[in-house]
Amino acid sequence: MLFMKGTPQEPRCGFSKQMVEILNKHNIQFSSFDIFSDEEVRQGLKTYSNWPTYPQLYVSGELIGGLDIVKELEASEELDTICPKAPKLEERLKVLTNKASVMLFMKGNKQEAKCGFSKQILEILNSTGVDYETFDILEDEEVRQGLKTFSNWPTYPQLYVKGELVGGLDIVKELRENGELLPTLKGGN
């Protein structure tokens, strides 16, 4: 957790800006709190941490320090061992494709498809009675682009069963016509 002046997108002091740049450069996952948004927190944290200046970086509830300390940790290559890394995209995609036994990456969600292909594949999946989860690729550009490479499949929707790509709408239609869709969805292929 980074207590800072401003936000990571719009730091309001040079020290906070430098801290954000260092954390981002090292792919460190962090949340932030704008101390300008709450004067009580701003003053209280100085007493709590016995640290008079901002920004202040905490890991697992423990104060690491301010910008100078973080720069020293970076120089000694200790920063990477102290701070949690943001998951790499490929790891994130593996987790997402395995989020449910049957996982559909589409434009929109179960309640509202945002393209004709996604609407058609929803209708087909709903007709099977099989439980499935959806992920709206329009909500996350990194996943939208990354999954195309990860799966080596350039279009959406994309259907996964137990983390393995089945295919898009044409493949799903073909499986349905051949009577293979239900066994495939149940993980029998």
Side-chain angles (χ1 to χ4, degrees), residues 51-69:
W51 197 270
T53 59
Y54 290 99
Q56 293 182 14
L57 182 66
Y58 285 75
V59 175
S60 302
E62 296 287 320
L63 174 68
I64 301 302
L67 180 61
D68 289 344
I69 301 290

Side-chain angles (χ1 to χ4, degrees), residues 35-186:
I35 57 157
F36 286 146
S37 69
D38 190 323
E39 189 61 26
E40 191 177 350
V41 170
R42 181 180 182 177
Q43 297 307 325
L45 195 60
K46 289 178 183 180
T47 305
Y48 171 81
S49 64
N50 196 23
W51 197 270
T53 59
Y54 290 99
Q56 293 182 14
L57 182 66
Y58 285 75
V59 175
S60 302
E62 296 287 320
L63 174 68
I64 301 302
L67 180 61
D68 289 344
I69 301 290
V70 169
K71 281 182 171 179
E72 286 173 21
L73 289 169
E74 181 185 35
S76 68
E77 297 182 0
E78 292 177 75
L79 186 63
D80 291 327
T81 59
I82 292 172
C83 296
K85 293 282 197 182
K88 298 229 181 310
L89 179 60
E90 189 168 333
E91 292 165 22
R92 214 174 137 217
L93 295 174
K94 281 181 186 167
V95 168
L96 283 172
T97 56
N98 284 284
K99 184 177 171 201
S101 209
V102 178
M103 193 69 199
L104 178 64
F105 292 82
M106 62 178 285
K107 294 177 181 174
N109 56 44
K110 277 186 185 180
Q111 291 73 39
E112 183 189 6
K114 293 186 177 166
C115 84
F117 298 119
S118 291
K119 186 175 191 288
Q120 287 180 60
I121 205 165
L122 280 181
E123 290 167 358
I124 293 169
L125 288 176
N126 288 338
S127 74
T128 67
V130 171
D131 282 337
Y132 66 95
E133 293 289 323
T134 61
F135 184 93
D136 184 355
I137 56 149
L138 298 176
E139 298 291 318
D140 191 322
E141 189 62 24
E142 184 181 44
V143 169
R144 181 180 184 173
Q145 297 308 323
L147 197 59
K148 292 177 185 180
T149 305
F150 178 81
S151 64
N152 197 24
W153 195 269
T155 59
Y156 289 99
Q158 290 184 16
L159 182 67
Y160 288 76
V161 174
K162 296 183 178 171
E164 296 293 320
L165 176 68
V166 172
L169 178 61
D170 290 345
I171 302 290
V172 170
K173 282 180 172 178
E174 196 177 295
L175 289 170
R176 182 183 61 181
E177 288 164 15
N178 296 341
E180 297 171 22
L181 182 58
L182 204 52
T184 299
L185 293 176
K186 292 185 175 180

